[in-house]
């Protein structure tokens, strides 16, 4: 029953992507990641409200890839929009733990990201589900390093 529901959620994000755009007004950082195992390609852009607590003001992804990779990136953008950078990194760590079959403390905060929990059973698809979240972690560290507006290309997601 739950697996059917999760399947529907993944399909919904694939067919009706959230925050999917090739550009983002005022973007501070842009990273490109791919997953050669599957051929997934992903661009991620962040606009950061750089106040006393830097916060994700807007996030957009674009790319081409399998339904798991694109739907997971879509669900990720909804889960992290409006969060401060450290909080978003922590949430990415939670998603990564879930993909490795480890306990997750912040299930509710993952929003639709929880629908990808079943993907952990298919090791070959785990990198697909992680692609967007790993790009997010990279975009945040790139922003922190002061490489504003840079384009960073990574051949494989860091697991
Ligand atoms: Zn894939």
């Amino acid at each position: 029953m739950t697996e059917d529901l999760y399947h529907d959620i993944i399909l919904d994000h694939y067919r009706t992507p959230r925050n999917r755009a090739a550009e983002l007004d005022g973007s501070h950082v842009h990273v490109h990641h791919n997953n050669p195992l599957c051929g997934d390609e992903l661009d991620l852009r962040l606009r950061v409200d750089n106040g006393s607590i830097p916060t994700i003001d807007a996030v957009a992804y674009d790319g081409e890839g399998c339904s798991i990779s694109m739907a997971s990136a879509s669900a990720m953008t909804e889960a992290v929009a409006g969060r401060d950078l450290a909080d978003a990194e922590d949430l990415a760590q939670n998603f990564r733990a879930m993909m490795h079959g480890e306990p997750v403390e912040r299930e509710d905060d993952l929003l639709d990201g929880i629908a990808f929990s079943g993907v952990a059973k298919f090791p070959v698809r785990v990198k697909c589900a992680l692609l967007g979240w790993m790009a997010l972690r990279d975009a945040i560290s790139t922003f922190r390093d002061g490489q504003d507006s840079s384009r960073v290309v990574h051949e494989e997601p860091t697991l």
Side-chain angles (χ1 to χ4, degrees):
M1 199 56 189
T2 304
E3 292 204 358
D4 284 349
L5 173 65
Y6 285 176
H7 179 77
D8 287 349
I9 291 171
I10 293 171
L11 213 54
D12 182 54
H13 275 274
Y14 184 61
R15 288 178 175 160
T16 314
R18 323 308 198 255
N19 303 303
R20 180 168 184 154
E23 298 295 336
L24 178 65
D25 280 349
S27 171
H28 291 102
V29 60
H30 168 208
V31 298
H32 178 92
H33 280 233
N34 66 14
N35 171 18
L37 286 180
C38 183
D40 308 314
E41 300 276 345
L42 185 88
D43 287 283
L44 188 72
R45 290 176 172 82
L46 293 185
R47 189 171 70 225
V48 178
D49 181 350
N50 206 9
S52 54
I53 301 175
T55 300
I56 297 174
D57 182 40
V59 51
Y61 81 98
D62 197 20
E64 280 186 44
C66 68
S67 56
I68 297 284
S69 66
M70 294 297 112
S72 183
S74 172
M76 177 276 292
T77 63
E78 285 195 323
V80 303
R83 293 191 182 278
D84 70 64
L85 300 186
D87 189 35
E89 282 180 315
D90 184 68
L91 200 56
Q93 193 54 39
N94 268 253
F95 188 87
R96 183 179 171 281
M98 184 175 81
M99 283 295 106
H100 289 281
E102 296 162 11
V104 178
E105 291 168 8
R106 302 181 61 187
E107 277 193 20
D108 291 349
D109 291 340
L110 287 171
L111 304 180
D112 286 348
I114 198 69
F116 295 83
S117 55
V119 176
K121 285 182 285 189
F122 305 98
V124 111
R125 310 314 300 280
V126 164
K127 280 195 175 189
C128 303
L130 279 171
L131 185 64
W133 289 92
M134 296 303 101
L136 174 78
R137 289 211 313 197
D138 183 35
I140 289 172
S141 63
T142 300
F143 175 80
R144 286 215 182 96
D145 289 346
Q147 300 178 47
D148 292 10
S149 303
S150 68
R151 178 184 174 84
V152 180
V153 177
H154 289 268
E155 292 302 315
E156 291 189 59
T158 310
L159 300 178

